[in-house]
Structure formats: C-alpha cells, structure tokens
Amino acid sequence: MKWKRSERLVDMTQHLLERPHRLIPLTYFASLYDSAKSSISEDLTIVSETLEARGKGYLLTVPGAAGGVKYIPKLGTAEIHEIAEELKQRMSQSDRLLPGGYLYMTDLLGDPELMNRIGKVFASVYADQKIDAIMTVATKGIPISHAIARHLNVPVIVVRRDSKVTEGPTVSINYVSGSARRIQTMVLSKRSMEKGKRVLLTDDFMKVGGTMNGMKSLLAEFDGILAGVAVLIEAEHTAEVLVEEYVSLLKLKEVDERQGTIVLENGNYFEKGGNET
Amino acid sequence: MKWKRSERLVDMTQHLLERPHRLIPLTYFASLYDSAKSSISEDLTIVSETLEARGKGYLLTVPGAAGGVKYIPKLGTAEIHEIAEELKQRMSQSDRLLPGGYLYMTDLLGDPELMNRIGKVFASVYADQKIDAIMTVATKGIPISHAIARHLNVPVIVVRRDSKVTEGPTVSINYVSGSARRIQTMVLSKRSMEKGKRVLLTDDFMKVGGTMNGMKSLLAEFDGILAGVAVLIEAEHTAEVLVEEYVSLLKLKEVDERQGTIVLENGNYFEKGGNET
C-alpha cells in the first residue's frame, strides 16, 4: 500500500518521537511507505522544521551508507521556564512542610506528566554530550532518572542502600553523608555496568552533595567517567558542595516552619546560559 | 501565522502523543494554528486513522461544549506479541541465573525503551477502564509502574518497606509474604492517596501474590477500590494465588540451576482474549 504524505507525516512523527536519540535509516521509512527516498527526505524536513519551530527538538541527519535520521529532544527556553515555574509553584505550597523542615514531594515524583517534562529538560541539557548511562540512588531518584533516560535513550543504573539476592554479586562502598556526617553504605550490582562508561548522576534533591559524592566513589570502582550531575532541587547550604559541576532546575532558598513558608528560586541551570538553549 | 496542514499534522501528533488520556479542546488547536474547526477535525481524522492503522491506538472524540479529543494508546496484537517475544528471549539468557534459582532482571528494568513498550502493553489492557492511580512496592516495581502510568496519565503511589521522614505520617500494615511465609511490613504515606480511588496494583514479579495481597490490605486502609493487578512475569507456583484477577505478560515455567536453563511462556494476558485487542 502506498501512503499519502499526510499519513506518512503522522506516522513518522510518532515513530521518531518514540525513539529519541536512535538512528533510523531512511530505507526503513522508504520501504515501509513504499515511497522514494527523495519524498521521505522532504517529509523529514517538514517534521524537523515543525518540531524546531515548536521548541520540541530537531531531527539530526547522519549522512552516508550507515546513515539515517535521529530525533534529538531539545526543549525551547520558554517551555523550560514554564516547567520550572510550575514546579516552583507546586513545591512552595505550605502544606508540604513536614516536621524538621523537610518537604513532602512524593506526589510530584509520582506525577508521570511532570516527570516526563522534567526528564526532557535534563535530556535537553545533555543532548549533545555522550552519555552512556544514568545513575541514581533508590528510591526517590528513580522516577527522574527514568524520565531523563527515556529521552536520552540510555539505561538507568540504580544504586541501593542494601544488597538484595536478586542483584547477584555486588560492589559496596562507604561514604559520609553530607549533612548528618554519618557513615553510610551504597551497593551496586557488579553486572550493572561495564568499565569505562560515561555516566550522568541524578537525584531529586541535593544538599551538600554527600550522596552524589558516594555515587562518584562507586563510579570510580567501575572505572566509570563522570559525565555530569543533574539535580531537580538543590538546597541552600553553608558548607561547600562536594561535587564541582552540577545542573539544578530549582534552588530551595528558605524553609520557615513557624511561618509555614517555602521559598524557591531558579536553579543554576538558568545561570549557565541555559536561557540561550 | 497560518500553519500548513502538513505542519499541523506533525505538531498535533506530537502534542497528542505526549498527553495520553488527556482531553484537548478543539479550540486549543484552532486558535494555535489559526485554522477553522472544520480543518482541525479533518486533520484529527487523518491522525486517528493513521495511528489506528499502525496499531498505536486512536483518538477518542468527546462531543459537546466541554468536548475535545484524547489520544488513547492501544497497541495492536502484533506489537504486543513482539514485545512479549523480546522479553522472553532476553529473560531466558542463562547468565541471568543467580544462586538459589533467582533471576537477574535489573538491567531489563533499567532499559527505558523496553519499559516504555511494556508500559504501553498494560496501558492498552486497562485503556477503557477507570483507573485513578497505580500502586507498586519499592524498588523494583517503580520503573514498570511509571511506564504504565505515563500512558494512562495517572499518578504512581509507591509503597515502602520502611517509613522515611520525608513521607510525613504513614499508615502501615503487616502481611505474610507468599513464599517464605514471613511477616513483613508495608508503609504508605497518609497523604499519598485520597479515599475511594480506583487503583491498579503492579509489580515486576509475582509468585503466590503475597506482596500484591499486602498492597490490597493497604488499599483497604485507604478505602480504595482494586481496579486490577498487572504483573510483568508470574512464576509457576503450586500454592493457590492470593489475588483472584491479574494480568501477566509472561510466565516463568522452569528454572534449572544445574542445566542453566530458564523456560518462559506467554502469560495469562494471551489467554484472556488479549489476542483480540
């Protein structure tokens, strides 16, 4: 069956969007739609230009015999600001305050649409870098890491606090938690990562960066390379942060338990020329 | 700016696919593209027919003043079989065998593309039912539950084994784990769920269903309604399963530690007339 252009455009869009950062040979589309490669190229130009105009990313064309096309998700500034604003508003609701100045954010981490949007923000930040895997610590970091991984098309590696029989042989390290200065343990299955991989560390929250630093030590055990650190919300801190380079979407400025106020501002993403994306 | 049909089709497809099960008013598209509602309706017919022809779901039109259009992901049989087949092959690699007959599957749970596809399978199964939330137990159930939730557009509720300060007040229950017959505890934040919600329970693995049964008890504490039970892989078991109605994608038939063989077959999804989807 020969497909009409309108049908090809719909199908190509869904096919490419479902497979970010994956190379699709033009011959795949040409044979699927029984169309000439030149028509496919024209279609792809329309798809790419429309996605770009709407701030959703673009199609990267890889020339040559082994070539093809890849969808690279890259959100426009306006949408990234909008996402940060939404998160800021939802995070500063005073009923999130828990005793001890902790904030309840489990509902946000369980919101798949919000997580998906946040995943796209960080996938946009690291869109042009070589990332082989995303590492996080169980439990709260998992939704964000999966959301980012989905848009970068790389695996997620989950570090645990305890070793489980279903993980097989593990490597464990001790580290000093940043704020409480307690010795803690992190465990990672030996077969979860090959040597020499470029890994992006992620978490929902970072104070002094103790957990991130722990992941860095664990990464070193696997001869891994630190490709970046992505944090949803960083806390205001007096001590120096233990990780040098990180990207945060929001910064928690102040929590006043008595007044019931939570003050957030933009994270360092917006300082780093993120607004020129 | 007036948009061409080709551009509208690309943009509508991306917009709808990013927001499954969410009602989008036609006026949204009409004003965004500066087009007549009749043109938008024609566009939507093309989008819906193409998605349906490719087994990706369809657009549901809701008439009336408060109406609009929703994308309902619903995979065709061929793709569901293909996904089950891929999982079967990857799961039966003999190097997954761990001492005690356990199987290593952490890498699969960390594969965002596989999780996304599996999420669509279960979202297809429950596409026409009212689901308010998806519940799972930390840690291994989280990727699957988020993948399903993403395609049903409902929140994820994560039950924990221990209570954490960032969860606020919690409700806890004791339950008997199915296989080891040990008393275990499950904890859920009080504010994680309102009363009377219809909840889909999910997990990566189910043997006799002890964990699922624990979640059922916890659900009862929140006056929740059991909307279904979705299991990626169920194990062959001699005892009776503790949950009555569940849908599994694969069934683990046999694990032979000495021979190094793992035998899987299709889960009960394929018996339940799933092949008529």
Side-chain angles (χ1 to χ4, degrees):
Chain A
M1 181 195 106
K2 199 147 175 96
W3 291 52
K4 289 186 207 140
R5 164 148 291 162
S6 55
E7 295 161 345
R8 292 198 308 259
L9 288 171
V10 171
D11 192 58
M12 272 178 174
T13 304
Q14 75 79 14
H15 193 91
L16 287 157
L17 260 58
E18 281 295 295
R19 290 159 187 81
H21 285 271
R22 161 168 301 216
L23 190 70
I24 321 268
L26 294 203
T27 46
Y28 171 82
F29 290 124
S31 80
L32 177 64
Y33 307 136
D34 192 13
S35 300
K37 266 198 180 183
S38 55
S39 313
I40 300 295
S41 290
E42 285 169 33
D43 296 344
L44 289 169
T45 305
I46 298 170
V47 174
S48 188
E49 286 176 359
T50 308
L51 291 174
E52 226 174 327
R54 289 279 278 150
K56 300 294 172 188
Y58 59 94
L59 301 185
L60 181 73
T61 308
V62 179
V69 66
K70 282 187 207 191
Y71 166 53
I72 310 292
K74 203 161 190 174
L75 295 185
T77 326
E79 189 163 352
I80 295 183
H81 270 92
E82 200 183 89
I83 294 166
E85 215 41 61
E86 182 193 334
L87 186 63
K88 213 183 286 173
Q89 277 179 21
R90 290 174 71 178
M91 270 302 291
S92 54
Q93 293 152 353
S94 63
D95 61 354
R96 297 198 173 277
L97 267 171
L98 296 173
Y102 290 96
L103 297 180
Y104 184 78
M105 55 186 289
T106 309
D107 58 329
L108 302 177
L109 302 178
D111 177 337
E113 194 168 326
L114 180 65
M115 284 301 110
N116 185 48
R117 298 183 80 195
I118 288 168
K120 273 191 265 184
V121 171
F122 287 108
S124 303
V125 173
Y126 297 98
D128 308 318
Q129 290 177 45
K130 182 166 161 26
I131 306 281
D132 297 316
I134 296 186
M135 189 187 272
T136 193
V137 179
T139 307
K140 283 166 63 204
I142 301 176
I144 292 171
S145 59
H146 265 273
I148 304 173
R150 166 93 193 85
H151 296 290
L152 287 177
N153 191 26
V154 296
V156 173
I157 295 166
V158 179
V159 175
R160 304 178 64 111
R161 301 287 180 187
D162 52 343
S163 93
K164 284 261 283 184
V165 63
T166 47
E167 298 288 305
T170 55
V171 173
S172 86
I173 59 127
N174 293 313
Y175 72 102
V176 182
S177 79
S179 31
R181 312 244 4 117
R182 261 188 313 151
I183 301 287
Q184 297 202 297
T185 306
M186 270 184 190
V187 176
L188 186 56
S189 172
K190 268 187 113 167
R191 59 168 100 186
S192 65
M193 200 183 354
E194 285 164 41
K195 284 183 188 290
K197 294 291 178 192
R198 292 183 56 85
V199 178
L200 174 65
L201 309 183
T202 54
D203 213 350
D204 60 322
F205 199 79
M206 183 176 88
K207 216 165 173 178
V208 192
T211 309
M212 288 296 183
N213 219 24
M215 281 198 270
K216 266 176 71 180
S217 307
L218 203 46
L219 192 58
E221 291 300 316
F222 285 81
D223 294 329
I225 299 150
L226 181 67
V229 176
V231 178
L232 185 59
I233 302 176
E234 62 166 318
E236 186 76 343
H237 38 73
T238 39
E240 213 178 321
V241 182
L242 298 167
V243 286
E244 309 81 40
E245 285 285 336
Y246 63 92
V247 176
S248 66
L249 187 61
L250 292 187
K251 189 170 194 164
L252 181 61
K253 220 35 204 168
E254 206 190 301
V255 175
D256 188 325
E257 267 193 89
R258 280 194 224 173
Q259 304 273 336
T261 51
I262 303 163
V263 182
L264 292 125
E265 57 182 36
N266 282 343
N268 73 7
Y269 164 78
F270 296 95
E271 294 158 21
K272 297 194 164 191
N275 36 3
E276 290 160 68
T277 308
Chain B
M1 180 194 107
K2 203 150 173 96
W3 292 52
K4 288 185 206 145
R5 164 149 288 162
S6 55
E7 294 161 346
R8 293 199 307 260
L9 288 171
V10 170
D11 192 58
M12 274 179 174
T13 304
Q14 75 80 14
H15 192 91
L16 288 158
L17 260 59
E18 282 296 294
R19 290 158 187 81
H21 285 272
R22 162 167 300 215
L23 190 71
I24 321 270
L26 294 204
T27 48
Y28 171 82
F29 290 124
S31 80
L32 177 65
Y33 307 136
D34 192 13
S35 300
K37 266 198 180 184
S38 56
S39 312
I40 300 295
S41 290
E42 285 168 33
D43 296 345
L44 289 169
T45 304
I46 298 170
V47 174
S48 189
E49 286 176 358
T50 308
L51 291 174
E52 226 174 326
R54 288 279 277 148
K56 302 294 174 187
Y58 60 94
L59 301 185
L60 180 73
T61 307
V62 179
V69 66
K70 282 187 206 188
Y71 166 53
I72 310 292
K74 203 160 191 176
L75 295 184
T77 326
E79 190 164 352
I80 295 183
H81 270 92
E82 201 184 85
I83 295 165
E85 215 42 60
E86 182 194 334
L87 186 65
K88 212 183 288 174
Q89 277 179 20
R90 290 175 71 180
M91 270 302 292
S92 55
Q93 292 151 353
S94 62
D95 61 356
R96 297 200 172 275
L97 267 172
L98 296 172
Y102 290 95
L103 297 181
Y104 183 79
M105 57 187 287
T106 308
D107 58 329
L108 302 176
L109 302 177
D111 177 337
E113 193 168 328
L114 179 65
M115 285 301 110
N116 185 48
R117 299 184 78 194
I118 288 168
K120 272 192 266 185
V121 171
F122 287 108
S124 304
V125 173
Y126 297 99
D128 308 319
Q129 290 176 46
K130 183 167 160 26
I131 307 281
D132 297 315
I134 296 185
M135 189 188 273
T136 193
V137 179
T139 312
K140 282 166 63 204
I142 301 176
I144 291 170
S145 59
H146 264 272
I148 304 173
R150 167 93 193 86
H151 297 290
L152 286 177
N153 191 26
V154 296
V156 174
I157 296 165
V158 178
V159 175
R160 304 178 63 111
R161 301 286 181 189
D162 52 345
S163 93
K164 284 261 283 184
V165 63
T166 47
E167 298 288 305
T170 54
V171 174
S172 85
I173 58 127
N174 293 311
Y175 71 102
V176 182
S177 77
S179 30
R181 311 240 8 115
R182 261 188 313 152
I183 301 286
Q184 296 201 299
T185 305
M186 269 183 191
V187 175
L188 186 57
S189 172
K190 268 187 112 166
R191 60 169 100 187
S192 65
M193 202 184 353
E194 285 165 41
K195 284 182 188 292
K197 294 291 179 192
R198 293 182 55 86
V199 178
L200 174 65
L201 309 182
T202 53
D203 213 349
D204 59 321
F205 200 80
M206 184 176 87
K207 215 165 173 179
V208 191
T211 309
M212 289 293 183
N213 219 23
M215 282 198 269
K216 265 177 71 178
S217 307
L218 203 47
L219 192 59
E221 291 300 315
F222 285 81
D223 294 330
I225 299 149
L226 181 68
V229 176
V231 178
L232 185 58
I233 301 175
E234 62 166 317
E236 185 77 343
H237 37 74
T238 40
E240 213 178 320
V241 181
L242 298 167
V243 286
E244 309 80 41
E245 283 286 336
Y246 64 92
V247 175
S248 67
L249 188 61
L250 291 188
K251 190 170 194 163
L252 181 61
K253 224 28 208 172
E254 204 190 304
V255 175
D256 188 325
E257 267 192 89
R258 280 195 224 173
Q259 305 272 336
T261 51
I262 302 163
V263 182
L264 292 125
E265 58 181 37
N266 282 343
N268 73 7
Y269 164 79
F270 297 95
E271 294 159 19
K272 297 193 162 191
N275 37 3
E276 290 161 68
T277 308

